Amino acid sequence: MPEVAELEAAAEQRWLASWLAGPTRTRYESLPPQAGDQAPDPALPDTSGERRRLSDYWAHGPALVIFMRHFGCSCLAERWEVLKNELSDYAEAGARVIAVCQAEPERARAVAARREYAFPLLCDPGLEAYQAFGLLEGLPAQILHDFPWRADDEETARTLFLEPRRGTERAVVDSPWQLPGEFVIGSDGVIRLAHRYQYCEDFPPKTVLLGAIAAAEG
């Protein structure tokens, strides 16, 4: 079994290759799953490596399924700072919260323990579930805003991002372009809310999520 450090090094190299090439999945070839559709139900490993279907988490009530940015993204840190204060509200509303990340179980387990993520974490390093739920890669403006990204600019990638952040909580890993999303799904497997981020900090308000959970409960 690979060590976490080896997995982190490989994830860093994936980030670099993707950063240099730029986003490629930026357009829909067909309609993504929408509110009123049955949710995709992939089987993904949890942090122990055991495979679980997403439907396990909405079998007895609504679920809020959160697709994360990569672990080094500051936007993910911002989302957790807000979310950790809202989890009890979602639980009181009858919903389970489950998150999907881009890491392998070993890396995900280490990060979840260190950051004290208070929800189950499923692992999708191949991004198949992200794609099944219609989550695109963002254009540079959506991810980096006014930062002047250029393809194949390895010097900037290394000096501004990769090397100074290595070994920190903001270490760059996995996909720099993958947009996140949050979905409320009823116990019948029907999507009640599909919130696909239009930019990194496009966090859905708690009231919107609670409204969708209430609709799923009804």
Side-chain angles (χ1 to χ4, degrees):
M1 182 178 296
E3 298 289 337
V4 171
E6 295 175 13
L7 293 170
E8 288 175 345
E12 180 185 275
Q13 289 305 304
R14 288 196 297 275
W15 179 92
L16 179 60
S18 185
W19 173 276
L20 297 177
T24 57
R25 290 189 300 102
T26 60
R27 294 173 57 86
Y28 290 116
E29 300 300 327
S30 58
L31 282 176
Q34 302 175 70
D37 293 341
Q38 286 291 133
D41 187 22
L44 300 171
D46 63 16
T47 55
S48 74
E50 182 177 352
R51 296 187 75 83
R52 298 181 178 276
R53 288 208 167 272
L54 282 180
S55 58
D56 293 345
Y57 297 95
W58 63 67
H60 304 293
L64 170 57
V65 182
I66 299 172
F67 286 84
M68 293 175 154
R69 282 278 292 158
H70 71 78
F71 283 146
C73 181
S74 59
C75 302
L76 175 57
E78 290 178 31
R79 183 63 181 122
W80 173 230
E81 285 303 307
V82 174
L83 185 64
K84 65 185 179 183
N85 296 316
E86 299 177 345
L87 291 175
S88 60
D89 296 309
Y90 302 134
E92 288 174 12
R96 296 193 69 181
V97 176
I98 174 73
V100 180
C101 71
Q102 302 178 32
E104 308 84 5
E106 297 85 356
R107 281 196 297 135
R109 182 168 60 249
V111 170
R114 192 168 65 244
R115 298 183 182 176
E116 299 182 323
Y117 286 155
F119 41 70
L121 191 58
L122 300 184
C123 303
D124 185 25
L127 303 179
E128 289 91 352
Y130 283 79
Q131 294 180 43
F133 275 80
L135 295 169
L136 298 173
E137 293 180 327
L139 297 168
Q142 292 172 283
I143 303 297
L144 305 171
H145 307 326
D146 59 352
F147 181 85
W149 175 84
R150 298 188 304 277
D152 299 319
D153 182 5
E154 185 166 348
E155 180 180 0
T156 296
R158 289 189 177 277
T159 58
L160 290 188
F161 295 95
L162 193 151
E163 291 170 3
R165 290 164 62 168
R166 185 182 290 137
T168 74
E169 284 297 315
R170 297 187 65 218
V172 291
V173 287
D174 302 312
S175 170
W177 307 114
Q178 179 63 59
L179 285 165
E182 305 192 22
F183 297 80
V184 173
I185 301 168
S187 59
D188 55 0
V190 173
I191 297 171
R192 302 306 174 108
L193 176 73
H195 180 84
R196 298 180 176 92
Y197 285 39
Q198 296 302 301
Y199 54 93
C200 256
E201 306 91 342
D202 187 17
F203 312 134
K206 180 179 73 172
T207 51
V208 171
L209 296 174
L210 287 173
I213 291 167
E217 283 275 72

